Amino acid sequence: MKTRILGSLLLAALLAAGCSPSWQNVRKTEPFKGPARAYVAMLPEGWKRAPTDSDVLLITRDGLFLQQISITRFDLDEAFSGVKLAPDAAPLDLAQLQFKKFRDDEPDLARYDKKEKEGVLALFPVSNAKPLAGSVERVSIRPFTVDGKDAFRLETRSYNAWGLEYSSQAVGFIHENQYWLVRYLAPKLHYAQRDQATFDGFLKDLKLKPKCRIFCSD
């Protein structure tokens, strides 16, 4: 059963990665400057950067549903529906809000073509590989720091439509009056443990910077 599930997942991941436009291959470890230069992340060698909006960094090695690391940011009044975050909000409070958000929704961070809903992808819909929001369960919440800034580390598990279990680690914090989330998502079967060290290194190397407000172009 697990072999069939993993085979379907591999196909969906390859189709999703192969059909999306403008993927960047990371041939060697290189720095990536985030929006308004508010952070610098090191992209791991052999991974790929997905086409996303400017506010999102999304990378994978083998396909988005086999492993992904993402960085997203939100204005304090837009991070959570009906909640306006205080600039000094406690990390534990942020973690509770983030857990609820995961249970309510699993966002699509990459852009997809309309054609990807036709042909072979219609037979093996990518949405079946995506973790189901309602299946999210909390594993742990712990204090954490990112480049000296107080944060939380939220670990959850969830399941997709094929019953495959996913492991998620999300690190959240407020930086430059915005809410930031760094997340690692991978199937518990094989991939989560294999690429854990890459995510740990990614977090260790992540540097937070004052936001650039003028003359921010390369």
Side-chain angles (χ1 to χ4, degrees):
M1 178 63 178
K2 286 185 177 180
T3 301
R4 291 199 300 271
I5 291 174
L6 186 55
S8 298
L9 183 67
L10 278 165
L11 179 58
L14 290 171
L15 288 170
C19 296
S20 298
S22 303
W23 284 72
Q24 174 197 345
N25 291 316
V26 183
R27 303 191 184 281
K28 61 180 181 179
T29 302
E30 61 181 67
F32 175 84
K33 296 179 180 179
R37 304 298 186 265
Y39 71 85
V40 177
M42 297 302 295
L43 303 185
E45 180 180 352
W47 285 51
K48 305 172 185 66
R49 183 163 69 90
T52 61
D53 295 331
S54 61
D55 284 350
V56 177
L57 171 66
L58 180 61
I59 59 175
T60 182
R61 177 174 147 173
D62 304 299
L64 292 179
F65 298 112
L66 297 181
Q67 76 282 101
Q68 59 176 264
I69 297 173
S70 61
I71 299 180
T72 51
R73 66 168 182 169
F74 307 88
D75 291 336
L76 297 183
D77 58 351
E78 295 178 353
F80 304 105
S81 179
V83 177
K84 183 173 182 179
L85 296 177
D88 59 350
L92 180 59
D93 294 339
L94 295 175
Q96 299 289 356
L97 289 167
Q98 186 60 60
F99 174 58
K100 182 180 183 301
K101 186 172 183 178
F102 281 157
R103 294 197 65 180
D104 291 343
D105 183 37
E106 278 285 356
D108 289 316
L109 299 181
R111 299 193 301 268
Y112 293 98
D113 248 314
K114 289 182 179 179
K115 290 186 293 184
E116 294 176 27
K117 297 181 180 179
E118 304 172 357
V120 177
L121 277 174
L123 299 176
F124 299 94
V126 173
S127 60
N128 282 2
K130 177 182 174 182
L132 300 172
S135 70
V136 176
E137 302 171 359
R138 191 178 85 181
V139 176
S140 66
I141 295 177
R142 302 189 304 275
F144 196 72
T145 58
V146 176
D147 196 19
K149 186 176 291 290
D150 290 338
F152 68 81
R153 187 162 182 157
L154 167 65
E155 184 177 354
T156 59
R157 58 175 168 256
S158 55
Y159 302 85
N160 68 10
W162 295 317
L164 187 69
E165 181 178 346
Y166 274 83
S167 174
S168 167
Q169 296 171 38
V171 174
F173 53 90
I174 292 178
H175 170 54
E176 289 290 291
N177 285 316
Q178 290 185 309
Y179 173 66
W180 296 75
L181 191 73
V182 185
R183 190 185 189 194
Y184 172 52
L185 179 69
K188 183 178 178 181
L189 181 63
H190 180 65
Y191 289 94
Q193 183 175 357
R194 191 196 71 177
D195 297 306
Q196 180 67 53
T198 299
F199 180 59
D200 291 339
F202 183 86
L203 285 174
K204 182 179 179 181
D205 293 337
L206 184 62
K207 302 300 179 185
L208 304 179
K209 306 290 184 180
K211 186 185 296 183
C212 175
R213 291 173 173 82
I214 58 173
F215 304 119
C216 296
S217 60
D218 290 331

